[in-house]
Amino acid sequence: ELRGVEDFCFDQGVLFRHGNSGVEKFRESSLEHLILVVAFKEPFGERIDSATHPIECSWESLYQATRRINEKVQERYGVPDFFAIDFGGKHIRRNVR
């Protein structure tokens, strides 16, 4: 189930949450940055694992990078499960707006 409106945006390597003064920065050359670019280009709630084919990496690398993003978002903004990850089915989708 998709979570409620949280109003995140990602611009020039920086993840913002409206109403929150803190930001989280991601290096432009990082896998996390590339995943977030794809996640914010795709319609909300769509799987991003199939949309990341231009990103050349293994499923394990994609999974680990997505988990790192989840940890950073949880730590910075207190929002759990920014990405919903189904490790067994190899599905990833943005879970928070």
Side-chain angles (χ1 to χ4, degrees):
E1 180 176 317
L2 301 176
R3 305 201 58 189
V5 176
E6 301 285 350
D7 292 332
F8 278 89
C9 62
F10 185 66
D11 186 39
Q12 297 182 358
V14 179
L15 185 65
F16 300 90
R17 182 178 184 196
H18 298 291
N20 190 302
S21 60
V23 298
E24 189 67 38
K25 296 180 182 178
F26 295 87
R27 282 185 306 108
E28 192 169 329
S29 60
S30 71
L31 184 54
E32 289 91 346
H33 181 273
L34 294 171
I35 290 168
L36 286 163
V37 167
V38 169
F40 279 88
K41 281 185 180 176
E42 292 296 307
F44 178 72
E46 292 293 315
R47 286 178 45 193
I48 65 158
D49 47 284
S50 56
T52 57
H53 287 306
I55 301 171
E56 299 208 9
C57 70
S58 67
W59 162 253
E60 184 67 29
S61 295
L62 185 63
Y63 167 75
Q64 292 296 338
T66 307
R67 282 193 50 206
R68 285 192 300 272
I69 294 168
N70 277 358
E71 290 168 4
K72 289 177 182 178
V73 170
Q74 169 77 42
E75 187 176 305
R76 169 72 65 195
Y77 303 106
V79 177
D81 301 322
F82 186 79
F83 285 106
I85 304 169
D86 175 359
F87 185 77
K90 296 186 177 181
H91 301 279
I92 298 171
R93 67 176 165 75
R94 186 161 59 108
N95 200 38
V96 178
R97 288 190 184 274

